[in-house]
Amino acid sequence: MQRYRFDQKTIVVQAIVEMIKRGVPSSEMDIYLSRMGPVDLDMLQQCMDEVYDYIAQEDEKQQTLHQDRAVA
C-alpha cells in the first residue's frame, strides 16, 4: 500500500477533489485521508473550505447562466 503525506496545499487540494469525485462526504474526508497517510488537519480544513467555496461559486455561475438563457 502506498503512503502519502498530506502536508502541502496542492496535494491536499488534489486529494479533496479526488475524494469528492468518489463521493466521500466532507464529514469523513479526514478519516479517509488519514488512512492513506499523515494529514495536517488545519490545512485540510482550510483547503476544504476553499474547495467547497469554489464549487459553490461555480454552481452559482452556472445557475445564473441558465437563468439568463431562459429569459432570452
Side-chain angles (χ1 to χ4, degrees), residues 60-72:
E60 189 176 308
K61 285 180 187 177
Q62 289 297 320
Q63 289 176 359
T64 302
L65 181 63
H66 290 300
Q67 288 173 353
D68 291 345
R69 287 183 180 172
V71 172

Side-chain angles (χ1 to χ4, degrees), residues 4-68:
Y4 297 93
R5 289 188 59 86
F6 299 101
D7 58 357
Q8 295 178 8
K9 189 172 182 174
T10 55
I11 293 170
V12 174
V13 168
Q14 289 173 349
I16 291 168
V17 170
E18 186 60 34
M19 293 291 111
I20 291 170
K21 288 179 183 178
R22 293 175 185 227
V24 175
S26 61
S27 61
E28 297 179 13
M29 197 82 59
D30 58 340
I31 297 168
Y32 279 82
L33 293 179
S34 65
R35 290 179 183 161
M36 293 183 265
V39 179
D40 180 332
L41 295 176
D42 292 329
M43 183 181 299
L44 174 62
Q45 187 60 53
Q46 178 186 6
C47 291
M48 285 178 59
D49 291 344
E50 291 176 13
V51 168
Y52 283 102
D53 285 346
Y54 176 80
I55 290 170
Q57 289 174 1
E58 289 300 309
D59 287 346
E60 189 176 308
K61 285 180 187 177
Q62 289 297 320
Q63 289 176 359
T64 302
L65 181 63
H66 290 300
Q67 288 173 353
D68 291 345

